[in-house]
Amino acid sequence: MAELVGEKFNDYKGVAVIFPRNKNTSSSYPGPPEGLRKRIAYANNKNSNFFLSLHCNAGGGGF
């Protein structure tokens, strides 16, 4: 889902999408709240103007 959102944002001129995590790093990333802090720090170090964090929790929930 994040890749699809990134593709849509890349349609805009002057927008660069950067993914701090991917399917190869997600299991090695620290859990909350440290993992989120690391992603925010990554975005800040890239001088980002916008930070979007998408979450999909595992568990018995539904739509």
Side-chain angles (χ1 to χ4, degrees):
M1 181 166 77
E3 290 175 353
L4 293 173
V5 173
E7 288 175 13
K8 290 294 183 187
F9 276 107
N10 273 330
D11 289 343
Y12 293 94
K13 184 179 179 181
V15 172
V17 176
I18 302 168
F19 295 100
R21 287 175 51 168
N22 63 41
K23 58 186 164 230
N24 296 324
T25 61
S26 61
S27 62
S28 63
Y29 233 76
E34 187 56 32
L36 181 57
R37 286 188 188 116
K38 281 185 79 171
R39 291 190 296 279
I40 292 169
Y42 180 86
N44 287 334
N45 287 335
K46 296 288 186 180
N47 294 317
S48 299
N49 293 318
F50 182 78
F51 177 80
L52 174 66
S53 183
L54 301 174
H55 299 268
C56 181
N57 295 331
F63 287 77

